[in-house]
């Protein structure tokens, strides 16, 4: 089925460990995003990409890095995990252009940092 | 600082009732206002959206009302059903290069049978 696939779905990290979250989409979308979801705070943008090889910071980028080496993949890295990064992470994608703006979201990665 | 403020945080409605969720925004450059619906364990999914050239948009039981002068918009769910129980997010976007959305804090809706 077409859509956005996130791996892994769950992960527990110890403080200071690093990890990479993978997002893959098969809809040929130009734009991709990483959001984190925390109770009462909605979804906050971490980083985004408007095309292969380009990335930009969002609202809460500190402690995260991203890469988009292929159009269909968007990777989110945690360099040295902290308990404040415990959250549910969502990847999303959409087409370029101002019509629709409809995002397709993945099903999320629940990350716990202990 | 949250640019889109959503209320209430939680809402309980009886089956058949009307659910109303409100959002207010600050940035006058916003010109696209979608609502997303999220079920537990799933990602948000686009429900309905409006642009400020109209004051209301209806799709089935879901209606967005938009008040440009007050910088407010709301989602009305008519004849609410238990299957509507979910978390709802309002969002807003302006003419930015990355089609970036700013989300409200979310409303957890429970529709009682």
């Amino acid at each position: 089925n077409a859509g956005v696939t996130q791996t892994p779905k769950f992960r527990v990290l110890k403080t200071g460990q690093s990890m990479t979250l993978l997002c893959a989409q098969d809809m040929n979308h130009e734009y991709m995003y990483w959001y984190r979801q925390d109770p009462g705070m909605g979804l906050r943008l971490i980083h985004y990409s408007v095309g292969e090889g380009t990335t930009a910071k969002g609202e809460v980028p500190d402690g995260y890095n991203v890469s988009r080496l292929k159009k269909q993949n968007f990777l989110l890295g945690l360099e040295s995990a902290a308990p404040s990064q415990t959250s549910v992470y969502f990847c999303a994608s959409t087409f370029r252009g101002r019509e629709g703006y409809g995002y397709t979201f993945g099903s999320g990665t629940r990350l716990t940092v202990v | 600082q949250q640019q889109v403020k959503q209320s209430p945080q939680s809402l309980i409605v009886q089956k058949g009732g009307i659910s109303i969720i409100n959002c207010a925004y600050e940035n006058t450059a916003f010109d696209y206002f979608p609502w997303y619906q999220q079920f537990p364990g799933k990602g948000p999914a686009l429900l309905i959206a409006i642009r400020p050239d109209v004051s209301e948009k209806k799709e089935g039981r879901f209606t967005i009302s938009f008040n440009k002068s007050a910088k407010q918009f709301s989602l009305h769910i008519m004849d609410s059903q238990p299957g509507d129980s979910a978390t709802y997010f309002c969002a807003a976007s302006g003419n930015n290069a990355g089609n970036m959305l700013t989300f409200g804090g979310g409303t957890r809706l429970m529709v009682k049978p």
Side-chain angles (χ1 to χ4, degrees):
Chain A
N1 291 337
V4 176
T5 303
Q6 291 184 234
T7 52
K9 295 189 183 305
F10 304 94
R11 185 72 185 269
V12 179
L13 282 180
K14 293 183 178 179
T15 297
Q17 287 185 319
S18 63
M19 77 164 293
T20 300
L21 282 67
L22 172 63
C23 176
Q25 54 94 4
D26 58 3
M27 297 168 287
N28 203 33
H29 285 168
E30 290 87 4
Y31 295 169
M32 297 186 74
Y33 313 85
W34 276 106
Y35 282 88
R36 59 176 289 172
Q37 182 177 11
D38 302 291
M41 304 193 73
L43 295 116
R44 293 180 293 167
L45 183 64
I46 304 171
H47 286 280
Y48 66 100
S49 169
V50 298
E52 183 178 318
T54 69
T55 63
K57 294 180 180 179
E59 180 186 358
V60 287
D62 294 343
Y64 305 95
N65 58 74
V66 288
S67 65
R68 193 160 176 208
L69 299 180
K70 295 183 178 181
K71 184 177 183 179
Q72 64 268 34
N73 296 337
F74 196 27
L75 278 62
L76 177 70
L78 281 71
E79 300 152 344
S80 177
S84 61
Q85 294 178 304
T86 294
S87 187
V88 181
Y89 292 85
F90 286 99
C91 177
S93 68
T94 191
F95 285 110
R96 177 191 302 123
R98 303 201 65 236
E99 296 303 318
Y101 278 108
Y103 285 11
T104 300
F105 279 89
S107 58
T109 296
R110 184 173 294 274
L111 175 66
T112 302
V113 182
V114 297
Chain B
Q1 183 178 358
Q2 213 168 26
Q3 292 193 56
V4 179
K5 295 184 178 179
Q6 184 172 345
S7 63
Q9 286 192 337
S10 62
L11 181 62
I12 300 174
V13 174
Q14 290 294 129
K15 178 182 176 182
I18 302 174
S19 303
I20 301 174
I21 304 171
N22 301 299
C23 284
Y25 63 96
E26 300 168 2
N27 189 342
T28 55
F30 287 154
D31 66 354
Y32 174 76
F33 303 90
W35 285 88
Y36 281 77
Q37 179 188 56
Q38 183 184 31
F39 294 106
K42 303 291 185 182
L46 180 64
L47 184 63
I48 186 173
I50 196 169
R51 292 196 184 274
D53 52 344
V54 296
S55 60
E56 186 175 283
K57 183 174 182 179
K58 183 177 181 179
E59 290 185 1
R61 296 185 293 108
F62 300 90
T63 299
I64 300 178
S65 297
F66 184 79
N67 185 331
K68 187 174 182 179
S69 61
K71 293 187 288 185
Q72 295 175 347
F73 58 109
S74 60
L75 176 69
H76 292 63
I77 306 175
M78 312 300 289
D79 186 25
S80 298
Q81 299 297 312
D84 297 330
S85 296
T87 299
Y88 293 81
F89 294 96
C90 63
S93 179
N95 185 13
N96 61 76
N99 289 2
M100 291 172 289
L101 288 173
T102 299
F103 285 86
T107 297
R108 179 173 287 186
L109 171 66
M110 178 185 297
V111 181
K112 287 192 169 182

